[in-house]
Amino acid sequence: MLRGGTRPSPGIILVAAALVHYQKFENNICLSVLGRGLDKLAKSSGMYHGIDIDALRNKVQMIINSGKISRFTI
């Protein structure tokens, strides 16, 4: 069940868009867009249409902190 004040779909879309930039070897843009996605996910937690928002947020945070982008599944 989703907890928090906002729907996480804009954040999920930004994370997906960031990974498209990664596939195009645009790593700096990817990290920037991941940061915006993380901001959008900040006020949500729990499950959203089968997506664990907490796990997604943690994975994105780990990528941003390390600067090492990797693909992952949700």
Side-chain angles (χ1 to χ4, degrees), residues 11 15 33-42 57-58 60-61 64:
V15 170
V33 177
L34 282 175
R36 286 187 290 167
L38 187 62
D39 288 344
K40 297 283 186 184
L41 295 171
R57 196 174 54 245
N58 289 337
V60 171
Q61 187 67 63
I64 291 170

Side-chain angles (χ1 to χ4, degrees), residues 1-72:
M1 174 182 279
L2 182 64
R3 294 178 304 277
T6 61
R7 294 177 66 173
S9 47
I12 295 168
I13 292 167
L14 283 169
V15 170
L19 294 175
V20 170
H21 286 288
Y22 171 66
Q23 290 175 328
K24 294 166 47 176
F25 304 103
E26 299 169 338
N27 293 354
N28 289 336
I29 296 171
C30 173
L31 289 169
S32 174
V33 177
L34 282 175
R36 286 187 290 167
L38 187 62
D39 288 344
K40 297 283 186 184
L41 295 171
K43 295 180 182 175
S44 299
S45 65
M47 298 296 291
Y48 181 74
H49 293 282
I51 299 171
D52 184 339
I53 298 302
D54 299 311
L56 175 60
R57 196 174 54 245
N58 289 337
K59 181 62 179 173
V60 171
Q61 187 67 63
M62 287 174 40
I63 291 171
I64 291 170
N65 289 346
S66 71
K68 296 180 183 180
I69 305 162
S70 60
R71 293 185 298 175
F72 57 93

